[in-house]
Amino acid sequence: AGRASTWEDIGELNKRYKLAPFFTGIDSGWGLRADECYNICSANRWFALKGDQAADYVHPRKNLPPLKKFYSTMQRAIGSSGRSAMLVLWSNENTKDILTRLRSGRMQAFEIAGDVDKHYHTQMLSEVKRDVRSKTPGQVSRRYVQINRRPNHLWDCEAMQVTRALFKGLLKPEEEPAIEVVETGAAA
């Protein structure tokens, strides 16, 4: 597919592959102001995605008990243009656990194009799950943390692909019990 470096490039890829605008998700939490993302998404009918520390999100259902999922219901985000964009929050920890299981071969096949550059491979190894001490004395939680400030945007992009696959029902997190990816060493 090539590399999309500008908003126009993304629009051209949509045209080339005849994708409906809703199939384009933009990370609203990376390297650009969220406001810019919301403005671009609202103008093109794309949707914004943002990683979040919540473990799960409640999805109400009519006449049925609510469901908990690793992504939020569709929300509205308003940019400075005054127009609203669609926004989906995703559970950073749980979604990255699924991505880790996919990459390790414990779920469906995870395939990588043969022509990706070294930056992709480096960024896919940019985070590890560790025990992290909270500001509250004695409390420790398991979280993904960046390794030596390595760029991790493509790792997050793959996590957003997992979010989209969960959203469309292509992945089911309950099929595989959670595993712990453990790094030995001192807590961060």
Side-chain angles (χ1 to χ4, degrees):
R3 183 178 180 141
S5 300
T6 66
W7 302 121
E8 292 79 17
D9 290 348
I10 295 170
E12 288 302 316
L13 283 173
N14 278 350
K15 287 178 189 170
R16 182 184 326 156
Y17 293 106
K18 298 178 180 146
L19 295 174
F22 183 73
F23 288 106
T24 301
I26 305 295
D27 184 357
S28 69
W30 175 79
L32 57 97
R33 296 182 335 265
D35 178 66
E36 179 184 3
C37 177
Y38 301 148
N39 289 337
I40 293 291
C41 286
S42 66
N44 291 286
R45 295 183 12 237
W46 300 338
F47 69 99
L49 292 139
K50 187 169 186 174
D52 188 55
Q53 292 305 312
D56 51 45
Y57 306 87
V58 175
H59 288 247
R61 300 185 302 166
K62 190 174 184 173
N63 300 324
L64 292 170
L67 292 176
K68 287 187 176 182
K69 299 185 179 189
F70 293 158
Y71 57 88
S72 71
T73 57
M74 202 64 75
Q75 301 178 22
R76 288 176 24 143
I78 310 279
S80 59
S81 67
R83 296 175 57 190
S84 65
M86 298 174 289
L87 170 67
V88 173
L89 302 175
W90 51 276
S91 171
N92 189 66
E93 301 306 314
N94 286 323
T95 303
K96 288 179 178 178
D97 282 345
I98 294 170
L99 178 55
T100 298
R101 289 195 309 268
L102 281 166
R103 292 187 68 235
S104 70
R106 295 177 57 98
M107 292 180 75
Q108 290 92 330
F110 183 83
E111 298 178 2
I112 301 169
D115 62 349
V116 298
D117 65 20
K118 66 180 181 178
H119 299 291
Y120 175 85
H121 294 289
T122 300
Q123 291 192 33
M124 290 302 288
L125 299 172
S126 62
E127 293 186 9
V128 67
K129 197 163 193 178
R130 288 187 181 159
D131 286 340
V132 177
R133 290 190 177 103
S134 75
K135 293 178 183 176
T136 307
Q139 290 190 347
V140 176
S141 62
R142 307 258 322 139
R143 290 193 7 225
Y144 284 90
V145 294
Q146 257 178 294
I147 301 169
N148 299 328
R149 302 180 64 127
R150 288 183 194 170
N152 65 348
H153 179 61
L154 298 177
W155 169 246
D156 281 349
C157 287
E158 290 287 10
M160 287 181 268
Q161 294 292 341
V162 167
T163 300
R164 187 69 177 154
L166 290 167
F167 185 83
K168 295 299 289 178
L170 301 173
L171 288 174
K172 301 201 182 322
E174 65 275 3
E175 290 175 359
E176 175 73 20
I179 61 165
E180 289 291 319
V181 178
V182 178
E183 179 186 326
T184 59

